[in-house]
Amino acid sequence: MSRAVEESNRAMLRARDAMDRAYAQPLDIPALARIAHVSEAHFIRTFRATFGETPHRYLQRRRVERAMYLLARTGEPVTEICHLVGFGSLGTFSRTFHGIVGESPSAYRRRKAAPADVPSCFTKAWMRPSATAGQPVATRKPAAAGEAAAVSGPAPAAAP
């Protein structure tokens, strides 16, 4: 990896860390670009190339992750959680939550109980929303030659 790529990655990580710290605040691309020491347009392009999603989509996913935790662990109303994680309207929150998780916040809360015998690190890994959620498996990139296949599915039929 070249020195320029390494420095670019560090700059993007600094900006992403700032987003993680202030996820409930409105997204401020100019401020994030200043943290990364690049222009706004270059920041968005480089962030997407580095992390596989735009800064806006990353922030939405982080907010939904936090909302999932609050829905599962607190008794706060969905509207209050919506505002705590940084969404301005309940409709936008519900639509985004459903798009990432696959169910409404209320349905998620009803289904929230995790088995008590499973370590929390496994539960967190299993429940974390994927950046490719809602994307058909067929549109994901296949593995390169010599690598394990990235798409899971039924095993091919055995030859007779």
Side-chain angles (χ1 to χ4, degrees):
M1 180 181 304
S2 74
R3 183 173 175 86
V5 171
E6 199 170 306
E7 287 181 22
S8 175
N9 287 347
R10 274 197 213 111
M12 292 301 115
L13 283 169
R14 278 193 307 270
R16 190 178 73 174
D17 289 345
M19 291 171 72
D20 288 341
R21 282 190 303 273
Y23 66 88
Q25 304 303 318
L27 180 63
D28 185 9
I29 293 291
L32 293 170
R34 281 192 301 275
I35 290 169
H37 303 292
V38 295
S39 71
E40 296 171 26
H42 186 71
F43 172 72
I44 293 169
R45 281 192 309 272
T46 306
F47 191 97
R48 183 178 183 135
T50 304
F51 299 114
E53 58 190 342
T54 65
H56 181 258
R57 184 64 177 168
Y58 175 78
L59 186 59
Q60 283 184 321
R61 193 170 49 79
R62 279 295 286 134
R63 287 173 173 171
V64 167
E65 286 175 7
R66 182 65 181 157
M68 289 169 67
Y69 174 82
L70 292 172
L71 286 165
R73 305 283 188 256
T74 70
E76 293 288 330
V78 174
T79 305
E80 181 65 24
I81 290 173
C82 158
H83 294 295
L84 285 173
V85 299
F87 283 93
S89 79
L90 183 59
T92 301
F93 170 67
S94 296
R95 185 180 65 247
T96 303
F97 191 96
H98 190 278
I100 292 173
V101 178
E103 61 187 334
S104 71
S106 300
Y108 176 80
R109 175 173 265 170
R110 284 191 297 272
R111 188 189 56 80
K112 71 179 183 202
D117 296 345
V118 177
S120 64
C121 59
F122 288 107
T123 305
K124 287 178 186 175
W126 179 257
M127 298 304 289
R128 182 173 186 168
S130 168
T132 59
Q135 194 180 51
V137 174
T139 62
R140 296 182 191 161
K141 293 181 181 177
E147 293 181 9
V151 177
S152 63

